[in-house]
Amino acid sequence: MASTLSRTETYSLLGLSAACLGVLANTFHGEGEPLIASLAFSGIAFGLSYSFIRWLGDTFMRAGLKGRDMAKTKSSEIPETMGAICAVVYLLVIIIFIPFPFYKDIVAATSGGGNRDVVLELEQVETGRFLHRFPHSKLASYLSAILSLQAVVLLGVGDDLFDIRWRHKLLIPAFAAIPMLIVYFVDFGVTKVIVPVPLQPYLGQLFDLGWLYYAYMAAIAIFCPNSINILAGINGIEVSQSIIIALLLALNDTLYLSPFTRYPHPATDSHLFSLYLLLPFIGVSAALWFHNWYPAKVFVGDTYCYFAGMVFAVVGILGHFSKTLLLLFIPQIFNFIYSSPQLFRLVPCPRHRLPRFNARTGLLEPSTAQFQRPPPMLVSLGMKLLHQIRLLRIATNDRGEVVESTNFTILNLWLVWFGPMREDILALGLLAMQTICGLLGLVVRHRMALLVFSQDNLGV
């Protein structure tokens, strides 16, 4: 990978940055136009990430942050942990963006200059009127999101530098989620869920989960970063699945904005908050995609996987649509469940479970796990059942004991189903499945949910 930008790239990125700066300057002529400003910041984030990835690649390699692409005939070392660059650019952009969503409130509440010494009538004080109407709860949500993202980026960088063991890093995203969970408790605090219509005669219309709801949100914060990290191992798959999920979330958010609703929707602010975080993420991820897609010039590293997953967890929790978020993670949920026998050591789990590259054919084949001793009877029966329904491929000895099986990942399963294939074809197939599952998830959320719930909040 060249360490400098070509002339065409330089002029293109300069033109994009100039246009985005012009848009930002123009947003101050009205009420701030934060959504337009977020789009402009996304363009700037793309340009910065694209440039820094190119400029800092050699620096990362000299620091030892490099890896060898094992799925190539001529494998060479390329920079690793480049997702850290995108994460840092993203954090800087959303910090600089802070004044834009609150521009109108800052001007209205502080008389344009931060003057809070507003004298109120006695009756206004007695009836509980505030000195100003600045949305402190929204600002607290935004700042807690930044804190959680900063914490998980530190986890990712630590994992890339020190190769932290799974059992040590599994629960760390839950600690990173503490700031946003505290803000959720203080400013929102709703722990009730709507009961499906068939169960309402027994449980009522609402059921209070109490502290279990916070455990559920913490579980989402754990699952999202780790699920992106598990579904990895071939060029472009981590960043591409993240872009698809982000675009589907942005599509869901736009359904709650004015062009698609006849009046301001009660959930509009929550979905605008989601867009403010998603648009810059799409910008930095697109820049990384250009360098990580097959044949990869850089590796994203664990930092990007944790960072991407926590972005989704943050917008799902603070945007109050965590159930919709899970509908877009169907392939990741399946991959986690499918991988659980190896993750929980019921069967042998190699250090790396990525597909095996056949240098003679240039194609990827399912990688395998070897059994030093026969698995327990129940595990063996389960594996033979999965083999019969083509969810696994096993090999047995003369006594019928399992001695080898394909690794339990959706990447290897895809190769079991469709046979050996080139790396980019495998990635495209999985991404097509991610897109279809995500679109079906949105259909289920906004149409089929009406079969078990009395109404969809989109029509509230």
Side-chain angles (χ1 to χ4, degrees), residues 99 118 234 243 277 301 322 421 430 439:
V118 180
I234 60 175
I243 290 175
L277 295 179
S322 56
M421 62 183 67
L430 289 166
L439 291 173

Side-chain angles (χ1 to χ4, degrees), residues 154-164 169 229 302 306:
L154 288 176
L155 162 66
V157 172
D159 190 17
D160 282 324
L161 290 176
F162 307 113
D163 197 17
I164 304 173
K169 64 185 179 183
N229 199 29
D302 290 335
Y306 291 117

Side-chain angles (χ1 to χ4, degrees), residues 132-147:
H132 54 82
R133 298 179 179 179
F134 188 85
H136 292 284
S137 60
K138 294 180 183 178
L139 179 60
S141 295
Y142 195 91
L143 295 178
S144 69
I146 294 175
L147 282 175

Side-chain angles (χ1 to χ4, degrees), residues 31-266:
E31 295 183 346
E33 300 295 344
L35 187 56
I36 302 300
S38 182
L39 282 168
F41 273 113
S42 302
I44 294 173
F46 171 86
L48 289 174
S49 297
Y50 192 100
S51 301
F52 282 124
I53 289 171
R54 191 68 62 82
W55 293 335
L56 297 177
D58 290 344
T59 303
F60 274 54
M61 292 187 68
R62 287 195 297 270
L65 297 173
K66 55 187 177 181
R68 191 175 296 274
D69 195 340
M70 304 304 295
K72 303 291 184 298
T73 304
K74 296 181 179 179
S75 61
S76 59
E77 291 183 334
I78 58 177
E80 200 169 13
T81 318
M82 301 308 283
I85 294 175
C86 297
V88 170
V89 170
Y90 175 85
L91 289 171
L92 290 175
V93 164
I94 62 173
I95 289 173
I96 297 172
F97 177 71
I98 290 175
F100 288 84
F102 306 102
Y103 175 75
K104 178 178 65 175
D105 301 294
I106 292 171
V107 172
T110 65
S111 303
N115 179 19
R116 289 187 173 182
D117 297 326
V118 180
V119 179
L120 295 180
E121 299 294 335
L122 179 60
E123 61 186 63
Q124 291 179 316
V125 177
E126 291 177 346
T127 56
R129 294 286 298 275
F130 293 100
L131 294 180
H132 54 82
R133 298 179 179 179
F134 188 85
H136 292 284
S137 60
K138 294 180 183 178
L139 179 60
S141 295
Y142 195 91
L143 295 178
S144 69
I146 294 175
L147 282 175
S148 294
L149 290 168
Q150 287 175 333
V152 86
V153 168
L154 288 176
L155 162 66
V157 172
D159 190 17
D160 282 324
L161 290 176
F162 307 113
D163 197 17
I164 304 173
R165 292 181 178 273
W166 270 101
R167 61 176 177 269
H168 297 150
K169 64 185 179 183
L170 182 64
L171 297 178
I172 295 180
F175 295 103
I178 288 176
M180 64 176 174
L181 293 180
I182 292 296
V183 169
Y184 183 93
F185 173 78
V186 172
D187 288 335
F188 197 67
V190 175
T191 58
K192 295 180 179 179
V193 295
I194 300 176
V195 177
V197 173
L199 298 178
Q200 287 184 3
Y202 311 100
L203 300 176
Q205 292 186 343
L206 297 175
F207 185 77
D208 191 0
L209 293 176
W211 65 269
L212 288 175
Y213 195 84
Y214 292 93
Y216 157 73
M217 291 190 289
I220 290 178
I222 294 171
F223 171 75
C224 290
N226 285 293
S227 66
I228 301 292
N229 199 29
I230 293 173
L231 184 46
I234 60 175
N235 290 172
I237 192 67
E238 301 97 330
V239 65
S240 297
Q241 65 179 301
S242 299
I243 290 175
I244 289 173
I245 294 171
L247 289 173
L248 290 170
L249 285 171
L251 172 61
N252 181 66
D253 291 332
T254 58
L255 298 177
Y256 293 85
L257 303 184
S258 57
F260 302 96
T261 54
R262 288 173 294 180
Y263 51 86
H265 195 278

